[in-house]
Amino acid sequence: MSTTMTITPEPATSDGIGDKPVLRVRDLQVTFTRAGKRIRAAKGVSFNVRPGKMLAIIGESGSGKSVTVRALMGLLPPSAKVAGSADLDGQELVGLSDRKMRLVRGQEISMVFQDPARSLNPTMSVGAQIVESVRTHRTVGRKEAAERAIELLKLVRLPAPEKRFHQYPHQLSGGMRQRVMIAIALASDPKVLIADEATTALDVTTQAQIMELLVDLRERLGTAVIMISHDLGLAASYADEVLVMYAGQVVEQAETSELFANVRMPYTRALLEAIPQVSRPSHSALTVIGGHPPDPSQRIEGCPFRPRCVRATETCVTAPALLEHDAGHWYACWHPVTGDPREETES
Amino acid sequence: MTDTAVHPHAARPDGTKPPGRQGRGVTQGAGSGSPLLRLFGRRLLMTIPLLLAISVLVFVLLEMMPGDPARNQAGMDASEEQVEAVRQRMGLDRPAPERYFGWLFGLFRGDLGQSSVSGQPVADMIADRAPVTLELVVLAFVVSLGIAIPVALMAARKPGGLFDRATMVVAMTMLAVPNFVLAMLLVLVFAITLQMLPAIGFVPLEDGLVPNLRSVAMPVLALAVPLAAFYTRFLRGDLVEQMNSADYVDTARSKGVRPGLVLWLHAFRNSSFGLLTIVGLNIGTLVGGTVIIEQIFAMPGMGMMMLEGAMSQDVAVVQMCVFIFAAVAVLANLVVDLMYAVLDPRIRYGSH
């Protein structure tokens, strides 16, 4: 194990006086065993989430971002081994029994999934699915639970909530279904709401509406939001803090404004460059990151991004530690980028 | 058979994944009027040409049957003239189309013809025999589903667990045993060794519920056990797949719903559509199975009636029995289609 894993960052506390994190994740490790191979999906992930703030976890498919939050929810298959620590308002989540985890899930921490066409049960009415969420954690009567469900539908600004209550998922649009999912997730006023690629399956306009809703709910309810996405642009627009993951590790982390003003990690920069720009000449080839993410079953020597990195040198054979190089800005790189990435690309 | 493809899960028995499993659902009746009623009307209309086609097929098949019913009726020693007289009396001298339409119009009038052996009206014979077969088939379904559903739910709670593996071994064994072999084994154990049940014979319901149930217990088991094994395997597999890969199962888990309830309220609700398809497709097989089982246990049902008719070249009897068996299979699939409509909100409410 390299030194990267033992570093525990305390990121972005500069403005957060008295802003105690509601969730403190430290050195979270997730290992799968598949066909005799050990697959390390998360290798020492650490972060804080503060109430009323939105943290964006960004990375490619297979970077370990979904595995990390699923580990927090206890939603990984039994074959997954989770180590490290995740402190949710004083309660340790790692190693919690299935029974106790079930009380936390939906109550303290809840989740909205990627595809709202699939994440709602097609055979149950919208109302029944919200009522189920309400009654799982509270002993309330059907009528009271139904009232709460309507209230939740109003909270997520679903038009005509009384009518929607009796409808089935297939009768709703994608955006409306995702609002229903958020209503389900908020049923017990959770401290942390995880949105796992929650807007990826939606069209751009709906995506913006759902993101606005999440931002608004975060402020109004004081819920901490963890947003999982592969879309840096989305993170730049809505998140308070950004954490970039690569090959199961955190490679860069800072407040949104700081991170996008001063991208340091070459991987983050490559991701930024991969976003198509209107300002670029039309029909010019899109920028892609060469190569593939490393095979998670293979042991990586040194910096995991090294094989794809344009700045890599001999030094990178030794893994760089995730360190707070600038105030509130953490990254793991021997050769950080300096200056505006756009300028460098255009030249 | 009928158009079961109306349902998104209908293609499931062969293990292929239908497209849009929980996607848009099926767009039925995107116009005015209740989608359910339109569906009902369309399905019902479609069964009419189907039943007519079946009646022609049955008639042609029986025409092609070897042997001469008239000679059979007249006896081996009868002279040509006598056989010819019998042929005329039976109406077999008329051309085939004429006889077919005569039979068909008779059907509409409620005249199902007479047995050429006993002279008894076929309608009376069926009224006598059908309840026996109906009881066997209905009980076989009730018993097989009564075993399969709880067992599959228990097995799916812990896939790969001891109960699951034991269940699968038993199910595989039962699937490999043909029902007539199973019938023999049942007779050996329950009638001969333990002497708990009568080996053969049917006691009508009028003579008491318990004697009736005792008399049908073994034939029902012989029919139900292989079916139960089949349903268990299918349902268990579908449940495990839902639990492992369906997103709404993740949603239910993320709500904190207990695993048993996730399985029952969420996975089973969705798996039940696939099960329903299979049950519908099985009805024909099951009715066919009664022919053999009724013979083994001397049950005076439709299966036995048909077999007896075939042995004695009793065309009117065989024709009606085969037609009824086919019609039952068609209508059963119609009922299954309609049950989807009642159970699945995606069909029940259309797309908007």
Side-chain angles (χ1 to χ4, degrees):
Chain A
M1 209 178 287
S2 71
T3 48
T4 328
M5 283 104 214
T6 53
I7 302 293
T8 51
E10 293 286 347
T13 43
S14 49
D15 70 330
I17 307 142
D19 239 3
K20 221 175 125 258
V22 62
L23 177 67
R24 289 160 51 102
V25 178
R26 288 295 170 274
D27 194 27
L28 192 78
Q29 314 255 356
V30 181
T31 315
F32 293 93
T33 310
R34 205 165 288 158
K37 276 186 180 170
R38 273 184 84 229
I39 296 168
R40 298 183 62 203
K43 307 169 198 170
V45 176
S46 302
F47 58 84
N48 288 344
V49 195
R50 285 169 296 148
K53 296 285 179 191
M54 187 186 286
L55 169 76
I57 302 181
I58 302 296
E60 287 170 279
S61 332
S63 60
K65 53 194 196 307
S66 276
V67 164
T68 302
V69 291
R70 277 175 180 257
L72 299 178
M73 290 287 290
L75 283 180
L76 291 173
S79 64
K81 296 272 171 292
V82 182
S85 159
D87 181 310
L88 177 67
D89 213 22
Q91 186 174 21
E92 178 56 52
L93 300 182
V94 175
L96 213 58
S97 70
D98 284 353
R99 241 161 154 240
K100 284 186 176 156
M101 191 66 226
R102 220 168 56 227
L103 298 177
V104 173
R105 267 204 301 266
Q107 167 115 308
E108 311 276 332
I109 181 166
S110 57
M111 192 156 168
V112 177
F113 297 90
Q114 176 166 352
D115 186 356
R118 307 177 69 91
S119 48
L120 290 167
N121 188 335
T123 64
M124 284 170 82
S125 73
V126 161
Q129 297 188 56
I130 304 173
V131 164
E132 181 185 44
S133 189
V134 172
R135 295 189 60 175
T136 298
H137 297 288
R138 266 185 288 175
T139 41
V140 292
R142 280 182 188 284
K143 200 165 162 268
E144 213 179 315
E147 280 163 12
R148 169 76 179 146
I150 302 267
E151 201 180 288
L152 285 162
L153 288 175
K154 283 180 186 154
L155 183 71
V156 296
R157 296 199 292 265
L158 191 74
E162 283 87 358
K163 181 182 156 210
R164 301 295 175 203
F165 183 88
H166 297 286
Q167 286 189 319
Y168 285 85
H170 74 277
Q171 293 168 301
L172 271 52
S173 71
M176 288 198 273
R177 287 182 197 147
Q178 204 58 302
R179 284 176 197 270
V180 170
M181 277 299 293
I182 295 170
I184 287 172
L186 292 175
S188 301
D189 294 315
K191 296 182 178 107
V192 178
L193 174 68
I194 298 168
D196 187 357
E197 300 271 9
T199 60
T200 307
L202 305 173
D203 66 72
V204 184
T205 321
T206 318
Q207 181 174 44
Q209 287 167 356
I210 296 292
M211 285 312 300
E212 298 286 355
L213 175 67
L214 286 175
V215 167
D216 176 56
L217 290 172
R218 169 205 72 162
E219 269 160 21
R220 270 203 291 166
L221 308 175
T223 315
V225 179
I226 302 177
M227 164 197 152
I228 306 291
S229 182
H230 61 276
D231 186 345
L232 261 184
L234 212 59
S237 313
Y238 299 103
D240 299 297
E241 227 177 286
V242 180
L243 186 147
V244 181
M245 281 188 75
Y246 187 77
Q249 298 174 24
V250 178
V251 292
E252 184 161 15
Q253 179 176 2
E255 285 202 15
T256 311
S257 52
E258 162 65 20
L259 187 109
F260 288 101
N262 306 299
V263 172
R264 291 286 182 256
M265 177 67 196
Y267 174 63
T268 315
R269 201 187 105 184
L271 276 183
L272 267 179
E273 281 170 4
I275 301 173
Q277 300 286 333
V278 182
S279 57
R280 284 186 201 149
S282 46
H283 303 296
S284 63
L286 292 173
T287 321
V288 292
I289 308 176
H292 298 279
D295 178 354
S297 65
Q298 302 289 312
R299 221 191 120 78
I300 306 160
E301 294 293 337
C303 174
F305 190 55
R306 179 167 49 98
R308 303 169 80 183
C309 184
V310 287
R311 304 172 76 90
T313 64
E314 286 298 301
T315 330
C316 303
V317 177
T318 314
L322 180 66
L323 294 171
E324 188 174 15
H325 292 281
D326 311 317
H329 195 146
W330 299 68
Y331 53 88
C333 185
W334 296 119
H335 308 293
V337 183
T338 47
D340 184 12
R342 304 266 162 77
E343 279 169 29
E344 283 186 36
T345 339
E346 303 293 347
S347 59
Chain B
M1 271 292 158
T2 51
D3 182 15
T4 32
V6 66
H7 193 268
H9 293 213
R12 305 231 59 235
D14 57 0
T16 54
K17 212 166 186 170
R21 196 172 164 84
Q22 310 160 44
R24 257 115 261 133
V26 182
T27 318
Q28 287 287 345
S32 57
S34 155
L36 187 59
L37 273 179
R38 285 166 58 102
L39 182 71
F40 184 85
R42 201 157 46 187
R43 287 277 164 282
L44 205 59
L45 280 177
M46 270 174 56
T47 57
I48 294 169
L50 196 60
L51 288 175
L52 278 175
I54 290 169
S55 71
V56 172
L57 195 68
V58 169
F59 186 83
V60 169
L61 278 174
L62 285 174
E63 281 295 297
M64 287 159 63
M65 197 161 76
D68 181 354
R71 161 139 318 264
N72 214 40
Q73 184 67 20
M76 292 302 276
D77 306 327
S79 66
E80 279 307 314
E81 289 76 38
Q82 284 171 310
V83 172
E84 225 26 68
V86 171
R87 196 185 306 281
Q88 258 179 27
R89 184 166 48 83
M90 291 171 77
L92 288 173
D93 54 334
R94 289 180 295 152
E98 202 187 315
R99 276 183 286 129
Y100 170 72
F101 285 107
W103 176 80
L104 189 67
F105 291 130
L107 217 60
F108 287 124
R109 288 195 312 268
D111 172 17
L112 308 188
Q114 274 112 40
S115 160
S116 60
V117 176
S118 64
Q120 218 187 338
V122 175
D124 292 358
M125 291 172 76
I126 286 170
D128 265 2
R129 306 291 196 108
V132 180
T133 304
L134 190 70
E135 185 180 355
L136 289 181
V137 170
V138 170
L139 284 180
F141 270 121
V142 170
V143 170
S144 60
L145 289 172
I147 296 171
I149 293 172
V151 170
L153 280 167
M154 286 220 292
R157 282 205 69 155
K158 255 197 172 168
L162 194 65
F163 184 81
D164 183 37
R165 279 184 291 169
T167 304
M168 285 307 109
V169 169
V170 173
M172 279 307 282
T173 313
M174 288 303 146
L175 270 178
V177 179
N179 54 16
F180 61 88
V181 174
L182 187 66
M184 302 295 186
L185 288 174
L186 287 171
V187 171
L188 191 69
V189 174
F190 292 103
I192 297 171
T193 309
L194 297 175
Q195 309 221 325
M196 279 167 62
L197 295 166
I200 55 163
F202 175 76
V203 181
L205 198 56
E206 296 92 292
D207 297 354
L209 182 65
V210 175
N212 169 262
L213 287 180
R214 275 169 54 88
S215 73
V216 298
M218 281 196 292
V220 164
L221 273 183
L223 289 167
V225 167
L227 272 186
F230 183 54
Y231 295 155
T232 306
R233 265 176 59 82
F234 170 80
L235 185 58
R236 179 259 173 207
D238 200 61
L239 284 172
V240 169
E241 195 195 306
Q242 304 273 343
M243 290 299 279
N244 284 342
S245 58
D247 290 359
Y248 62 82
V249 165
D250 274 344
T251 303
R253 283 207 187 102
S254 77
K255 289 177 188 176
V257 177
R258 274 188 281 133
L261 283 180
V262 175
L263 190 67
W264 172 248
L265 287 178
H266 294 271
F268 178 66
R269 261 176 116 121
N270 283 277
S271 289
S272 63
F273 298 118
L275 184 66
L276 191 61
T277 308
I278 304 240
V279 170
L281 291 173
N282 270 164
I283 290 175
T285 325
L286 185 60
V287 171
T290 59
V291 176
I292 299 163
I293 293 301
E294 283 177 11
Q295 199 63 26
I296 294 174
F297 291 100
M299 295 274 128
M302 295 266 302
M304 198 189 231
M305 175 179 162
M306 187 178 88
L307 214 60
E308 286 167 358
M311 298 288 189
S312 55
Q313 297 229 332
D314 198 338
V315 178
V317 166
V318 179
Q319 198 167 339
M320 206 55 228
C321 285
V322 175
F323 180 70
I324 286 176
F325 284 166
V328 163
V330 169
L331 292 175
N333 278 289
L334 174 73
V335 168
V336 165
D337 279 359
L338 294 174
M339 272 172 81
Y340 286 141
V342 173
L343 292 176
D344 191 336
R346 284 165 296 186
I347 297 175
R348 188 170 53 206
Y349 291 109
S351 53
H352 283 286

PDB file of all heavy atoms in Angstrom, chain A residues 204-228:
ATOM      1  N   VAL A 204     -31.213  18.039 -21.446  1.00  0.00           N
ATOM      2  CA  VAL A 204     -30.462  19.141 -20.832  1.00  0.00           C
ATOM      3  C   VAL A 204     -31.349  20.090 -20.031  1.00  0.00           C
ATOM      4  O   VAL A 204     -30.998  20.495 -18.923  1.00  0.00           O
ATOM      5  CB  VAL A 204     -29.681  19.915 -21.912  1.00  0.00           C
ATOM      6  CG1 VAL A 204     -28.822  20.980 -21.272  1.00  0.00           C
ATOM      7  CG2 VAL A 204     -28.818  18.960 -22.711  1.00  0.00           C
ATOM      8  N   THR A 205     -32.522  20.412 -20.575  1.00  0.00           N
ATOM      9  CA  THR A 205     -33.408  21.345 -19.874  1.00  0.00           C
ATOM     10  C   THR A 205     -33.872  20.741 -18.560  1.00  0.00           C
ATOM     11  O   THR A 205     -33.827  21.381 -17.506  1.00  0.00           O
ATOM     12  CB  THR A 205     -34.651  21.662 -20.744  1.00  0.00           C
ATOM     13  OG1 THR A 205     -34.220  21.766 -22.096  1.00  0.00           O
ATOM     14  CG2 THR A 205     -35.327  22.902 -20.297  1.00  0.00           C
ATOM     15  N   THR A 206     -34.314  19.488 -18.624  1.00  0.00           N
ATOM     16  CA  THR A 206     -34.787  18.800 -17.425  1.00  0.00           C
ATOM     17  C   THR A 206     -33.644  18.654 -16.428  1.00  0.00           C
ATOM     18  O   THR A 206     -33.825  18.807 -15.222  1.00  0.00           O
ATOM     19  CB  THR A 206     -35.343  17.415 -17.793  1.00  0.00           C
ATOM     20  OG1 THR A 206     -36.108  17.539 -18.970  1.00  0.00           O
ATOM     21  CG2 THR A 206     -36.178  16.860 -16.688  1.00  0.00           C
ATOM     22  N   GLN A 207     -32.472  18.370 -16.960  1.00  0.00           N
ATOM     23  CA  GLN A 207     -31.280  18.228 -16.129  1.00  0.00           C
ATOM     24  C   GLN A 207     -31.077  19.492 -15.292  1.00  0.00           C
ATOM     25  O   GLN A 207     -30.884  19.426 -14.078  1.00  0.00           O
ATOM     26  CB  GLN A 207     -30.084  18.007 -17.049  1.00  0.00           C
ATOM     27  CG  GLN A 207     -28.783  17.825 -16.325  1.00  0.00           C
ATOM     28  CD  GLN A 207     -27.668  17.456 -17.297  1.00  0.00           C
ATOM     29  OE1 GLN A 207     -27.549  18.048 -18.373  1.00  0.00           O
ATOM     30  NE2 GLN A 207     -26.852  16.508 -16.938  1.00  0.00           N
ATOM     31  N   ALA A 208     -31.157  20.641 -15.957  1.00  0.00           N
ATOM     32  CA  ALA A 208     -30.968  21.910 -15.252  1.00  0.00           C
ATOM     33  C   ALA A 208     -32.041  22.093 -14.189  1.00  0.00           C
ATOM     34  O   ALA A 208     -31.740  22.501 -13.060  1.00  0.00           O
ATOM     35  CB  ALA A 208     -31.006  23.063 -16.250  1.00  0.00           C
ATOM     36  N   GLN A 209     -33.299  21.736 -14.513  1.00  0.00           N
ATOM     37  CA  GLN A 209     -34.382  21.889 -13.541  1.00  0.00           C
ATOM     38  C   GLN A 209     -34.158  21.017 -12.311  1.00  0.00           C
ATOM     39  O   GLN A 209     -34.367  21.455 -11.180  1.00  0.00           O
ATOM     40  CB  GLN A 209     -35.726  21.516 -14.182  1.00  0.00           C
ATOM     41  CG  GLN A 209     -36.206  22.559 -15.172  1.00  0.00           C
ATOM     42  CD  GLN A 209     -37.359  22.041 -16.017  1.00  0.00           C
ATOM     43  OE1 GLN A 209     -37.743  20.872 -15.912  1.00  0.00           O
ATOM     44  NE2 GLN A 209     -37.903  22.907 -16.847  1.00  0.00           N
ATOM     45  N   ILE A 210     -33.719  19.781 -12.546  1.00  0.00           N
ATOM     46  CA  ILE A 210     -33.493  18.876 -11.419  1.00  0.00           C
ATOM     47  C   ILE A 210     -32.315  19.367 -10.580  1.00  0.00           C
ATOM     48  O   ILE A 210     -32.360  19.344  -9.340  1.00  0.00           O
ATOM     49  CB  ILE A 210     -33.260  17.430 -11.921  1.00  0.00           C
ATOM     50  CG1 ILE A 210     -34.518  16.882 -12.617  1.00  0.00           C
ATOM     51  CG2 ILE A 210     -32.834  16.508 -10.795  1.00  0.00           C
ATOM     52  CD1 ILE A 210     -35.704  16.640 -11.718  1.00  0.00           C
ATOM     53  N   MET A 211     -31.265  19.849 -11.224  1.00  0.00           N
ATOM     54  CA  MET A 211     -30.116  20.370 -10.477  1.00  0.00           C
ATOM     55  C   MET A 211     -30.521  21.589  -9.647  1.00  0.00           C
ATOM     56  O   MET A 211     -30.147  21.709  -8.490  1.00  0.00           O
ATOM     57  CB  MET A 211     -28.973  20.739 -11.440  1.00  0.00           C
ATOM     58  CG  MET A 211     -28.207  19.558 -12.016  1.00  0.00           C
ATOM     59  SD  MET A 211     -27.676  18.287 -10.846  1.00  0.00           S
ATOM     60  CE  MET A 211     -26.639  19.207  -9.745  1.00  0.00           C
ATOM     61  N   GLU A 212     -31.328  22.486 -10.263  1.00  0.00           N
ATOM     62  CA  GLU A 212     -31.822  23.663  -9.517  1.00  0.00           C
ATOM     63  C   GLU A 212     -32.604  23.215  -8.287  1.00  0.00           C
ATOM     64  O   GLU A 212     -32.477  23.785  -7.213  1.00  0.00           O
ATOM     65  CB  GLU A 212     -32.736  24.528 -10.397  1.00  0.00           C
ATOM     66  CG  GLU A 212     -32.091  25.131 -11.637  1.00  0.00           C
ATOM     67  CD  GLU A 212     -31.160  26.288 -11.335  1.00  0.00           C
ATOM     68  OE1 GLU A 212     -31.087  26.691 -10.156  1.00  0.00           O
ATOM     69  OE2 GLU A 212     -30.503  26.766 -12.284  1.00  0.00           O
ATOM     70  N   LEU A 213     -33.414  22.178  -8.480  1.00  0.00           N
ATOM     71  CA  LEU A 213     -34.224  21.657  -7.379  1.00  0.00           C
ATOM     72  C   LEU A 213     -33.326  21.147  -6.250  1.00  0.00           C
ATOM     73  O   LEU A 213     -33.549  21.455  -5.076  1.00  0.00           O
ATOM     74  CB  LEU A 213     -35.141  20.538  -7.875  1.00  0.00           C
ATOM     75  CG  LEU A 213     -35.962  19.825  -6.807  1.00  0.00           C
ATOM     76  CD1 LEU A 213     -36.998  20.773  -6.201  1.00  0.00           C
ATOM     77  CD2 LEU A 213     -36.657  18.596  -7.365  1.00  0.00           C
ATOM     78  N   LEU A 214     -32.288  20.399  -6.616  1.00  0.00           N
ATOM     79  CA  LEU A 214     -31.380  19.851  -5.601  1.00  0.00           C
ATOM     80  C   LEU A 214     -30.667  20.979  -4.850  1.00  0.00           C
ATOM     81  O   LEU A 214     -30.534  20.940  -3.623  1.00  0.00           O
ATOM     82  CB  LEU A 214     -30.351  18.916  -6.256  1.00  0.00           C
ATOM     83  CG  LEU A 214     -30.871  17.552  -6.707  1.00  0.00           C
ATOM     84  CD1 LEU A 214     -29.794  16.784  -7.446  1.00  0.00           C
ATOM     85  CD2 LEU A 214     -31.362  16.741  -5.513  1.00  0.00           C
ATOM     86  N   VAL A 215     -30.230  21.990  -5.600  1.00  0.00           N
ATOM     87  CA  VAL A 215     -29.547  23.123  -4.985  1.00  0.00           C
ATOM     88  C   VAL A 215     -30.485  23.834  -4.018  1.00  0.00           C
ATOM     89  O   VAL A 215     -30.126  24.170  -2.887  1.00  0.00           O
ATOM     90  CB  VAL A 215     -29.034  24.084  -6.084  1.00  0.00           C
ATOM     91  CG1 VAL A 215     -28.604  25.406  -5.482  1.00  0.00           C
ATOM     92  CG2 VAL A 215     -27.891  23.450  -6.851  1.00  0.00           C
ATOM     93  N   ASP A 216     -31.718  24.007  -4.460  1.00  0.00           N
ATOM     94  CA  ASP A 216     -32.719  24.694  -3.648  1.00  0.00           C
ATOM     95  C   ASP A 216     -33.036  23.896  -2.381  1.00  0.00           C
ATOM     96  O   ASP A 216     -33.104  24.449  -1.281  1.00  0.00           O
ATOM     97  CB  ASP A 216     -33.981  24.895  -4.503  1.00  0.00           C
ATOM     98  CG  ASP A 216     -35.107  25.506  -3.700  1.00  0.00           C
ATOM     99  OD1 ASP A 216     -34.880  26.584  -3.135  1.00  0.00           O
ATOM    100  OD2 ASP A 216     -36.189  24.899  -3.629  1.00  0.00           O
ATOM    101  N   LEU A 217     -33.204  22.575  -2.530  1.00  0.00           N
ATOM    102  CA  LEU A 217     -33.550  21.728  -1.385  1.00  0.00           C
ATOM    103  C   LEU A 217     -32.408  21.711  -0.373  1.00  0.00           C
ATOM    104  O   LEU A 217     -32.629  21.725   0.837  1.00  0.00           O
ATOM    105  CB  LEU A 217     -33.851  20.299  -1.857  1.00  0.00           C
ATOM    106  CG  LEU A 217     -35.137  20.120  -2.652  1.00  0.00           C
ATOM    107  CD1 LEU A 217     -35.214  18.728  -3.224  1.00  0.00           C
ATOM    108  CD2 LEU A 217     -36.353  20.392  -1.752  1.00  0.00           C
ATOM    109  N   ARG A 218     -31.203  21.674  -0.872  1.00  0.00           N
ATOM    110  CA  ARG A 218     -30.001  21.688  -0.038  1.00  0.00           C
ATOM    111  C   ARG A 218     -30.019  22.915   0.865  1.00  0.00           C
ATOM    112  O   ARG A 218     -29.763  22.844   2.054  1.00  0.00           O
ATOM    113  CB  ARG A 218     -28.804  21.674  -0.982  1.00  0.00           C
ATOM    114  CG  ARG A 218     -27.469  21.936  -0.404  1.00  0.00           C
ATOM    115  CD  ARG A 218     -26.543  22.474  -1.460  1.00  0.00           C
ATOM    116  NE  ARG A 218     -26.954  23.851  -1.785  1.00  0.00           N
ATOM    117  CZ  ARG A 218     -26.193  24.738  -2.400  1.00  0.00           C
ATOM    118  NH1 ARG A 218     -25.000  24.395  -2.814  1.00  0.00           N
ATOM    119  NH2 ARG A 218     -26.623  25.955  -2.629  1.00  0.00           N
ATOM    120  N   GLU A 219     -30.395  24.065   0.282  1.00  0.00           N
ATOM    121  CA  GLU A 219     -30.429  25.297   1.074  1.00  0.00           C
ATOM    122  C   GLU A 219     -31.609  25.310   2.033  1.00  0.00           C
ATOM    123  O   GLU A 219     -31.468  25.623   3.199  1.00  0.00           O
ATOM    124  CB  GLU A 219     -30.526  26.515   0.148  1.00  0.00           C
ATOM    125  CG  GLU A 219     -29.158  27.047  -0.227  1.00  0.00           C
ATOM    126  CD  GLU A 219     -29.202  27.910  -1.487  1.00  0.00           C
ATOM    127  OE1 GLU A 219     -30.285  28.422  -1.831  1.00  0.00           O
ATOM    128  OE2 GLU A 219     -28.137  28.040  -2.125  1.00  0.00           O
ATOM    129  N   ARG A 220     -32.782  24.930   1.515  1.00  0.00           N
ATOM    130  CA  ARG A 220     -33.992  25.027   2.331  1.00  0.00           C
ATOM    131  C   ARG A 220     -34.014  24.014   3.463  1.00  0.00           C
ATOM    132  O   ARG A 220     -34.458  24.302   4.565  1.00  0.00           O
ATOM    133  CB  ARG A 220     -35.229  24.825   1.455  1.00  0.00           C
ATOM    134  CG  ARG A 220     -35.751  26.121   0.873  1.00  0.00           C
ATOM    135  CD  ARG A 220     -37.188  25.993   0.512  1.00  0.00           C
ATOM    136  NE  ARG A 220     -37.375  25.093  -0.618  1.00  0.00           N
ATOM    137  CZ  ARG A 220     -38.554  24.588  -0.971  1.00  0.00           C
ATOM    138  NH1 ARG A 220     -39.622  24.871  -0.270  1.00  0.00           N
ATOM    139  NH2 ARG A 220     -38.654  23.792  -2.020  1.00  0.00           N
ATOM    140  N   LEU A 221     -33.572  22.804   3.192  1.00  0.00           N
ATOM    141  CA  LEU A 221     -33.667  21.736   4.196  1.00  0.00           C
ATOM    142  C   LEU A 221     -32.366  21.527   4.957  1.00  0.00           C
ATOM    143  O   LEU A 221     -32.323  20.791   5.929  1.00  0.00           O
ATOM    144  CB  LEU A 221     -34.072  20.410   3.535  1.00  0.00           C
ATOM    145  CG  LEU A 221     -35.318  20.419   2.655  1.00  0.00           C
ATOM    146  CD1 LEU A 221     -35.506  19.069   1.997  1.00  0.00           C
ATOM    147  CD2 LEU A 221     -36.547  20.780   3.485  1.00  0.00           C
ATOM    148  N   GLY A 222     -31.288  22.144   4.481  1.00  0.00           N
ATOM    149  CA  GLY A 222     -29.997  21.956   5.137  1.00  0.00           C
ATOM    150  C   GLY A 222     -29.422  20.574   4.915  1.00  0.00           C
ATOM    151  O   GLY A 222     -28.550  20.112   5.638  1.00  0.00           O
ATOM    152  N   THR A 223     -29.940  19.873   3.903  1.00  0.00           N
ATOM    153  CA  THR A 223     -29.450  18.535   3.595  1.00  0.00           C
ATOM    154  C   THR A 223     -28.096  18.647   2.889  1.00  0.00           C
ATOM    155  O   THR A 223     -27.897  19.530   2.065  1.00  0.00           O
ATOM    156  CB  THR A 223     -30.429  17.821   2.641  1.00  0.00           C
ATOM    157  OG1 THR A 223     -31.751  18.033   3.115  1.00  0.00           O
ATOM    158  CG2 THR A 223     -30.132  16.345   2.543  1.00  0.00           C
ATOM    159  N   ALA A 224     -27.182  17.783   3.251  1.00  0.00           N
ATOM    160  CA  ALA A 224     -25.925  17.710   2.515  1.00  0.00           C
ATOM    161  C   ALA A 224     -26.165  16.871   1.267  1.00  0.00           C
ATOM    162  O   ALA A 224     -26.824  15.834   1.329  1.00  0.00           O
ATOM    163  CB  ALA A 224     -24.854  17.073   3.384  1.00  0.00           C
ATOM    164  N   VAL A 225     -25.663  17.329   0.136  1.00  0.00           N
ATOM    165  CA  VAL A 225     -25.888  16.584  -1.103  1.00  0.00           C
ATOM    166  C   VAL A 225     -24.552  16.104  -1.659  1.00  0.00           C
ATOM    167  O   VAL A 225     -23.599  16.881  -1.758  1.00  0.00           O
ATOM    168  CB  VAL A 225     -26.616  17.451  -2.159  1.00  0.00           C
ATOM    169  CG1 VAL A 225     -26.818  16.666  -3.454  1.00  0.00           C
ATOM    170  CG2 VAL A 225     -27.943  17.953  -1.618  1.00  0.00           C
ATOM    171  N   ILE A 226     -24.480  14.824  -1.975  1.00  0.00           N
ATOM    172  CA  ILE A 226     -23.323  14.304  -2.702  1.00  0.00           C
ATOM    173  C   ILE A 226     -23.803  14.010  -4.108  1.00  0.00           C
ATOM    174  O   ILE A 226     -24.733  13.235  -4.317  1.00  0.00           O
ATOM    175  CB  ILE A 226     -22.767  13.009  -2.082  1.00  0.00           C
ATOM    176  CG1 ILE A 226     -22.380  13.226  -0.620  1.00  0.00           C
ATOM    177  CG2 ILE A 226     -21.552  12.517  -2.872  1.00  0.00           C
ATOM    178  CD1 ILE A 226     -21.891  11.971   0.075  1.00  0.00           C
ATOM    179  N   MET A 227     -23.176  14.668  -5.064  1.00  0.00           N
ATOM    180  CA  MET A 227     -23.600  14.498  -6.439  1.00  0.00           C
ATOM    181  C   MET A 227     -22.504  13.725  -7.184  1.00  0.00           C
ATOM    182  O   MET A 227     -21.349  14.133  -7.185  1.00  0.00           O
ATOM    183  CB  MET A 227     -23.794  15.895  -7.019  1.00  0.00           C
ATOM    184  CG  MET A 227     -23.871  15.987  -8.479  1.00  0.00           C
ATOM    185  SD  MET A 227     -23.577  17.727  -8.902  1.00  0.00           S
ATOM    186  CE  MET A 227     -22.879  17.481 -10.499  1.00  0.00           C
ATOM    187  N   ILE A 228     -22.908  12.596  -7.744  1.00  0.00           N
ATOM    188  CA  ILE A 228     -21.947  11.788  -8.496  1.00  0.00           C
ATOM    189  C   ILE A 228     -22.154  12.091  -9.968  1.00  0.00           C
ATOM    190  O   ILE A 228     -23.284  12.044 -10.449  1.00  0.00           O
ATOM    191  CB  ILE A 228     -22.224  10.279  -8.274  1.00  0.00           C
ATOM    192  CG1 ILE A 228     -22.248   9.932  -6.807  1.00  0.00           C
ATOM    193  CG2 ILE A 228     -21.225   9.426  -9.029  1.00  0.00           C
ATOM    194  CD1 ILE A 228     -20.936  10.027  -6.137  1.00  0.00           C
TER     195      ILE A 228
END
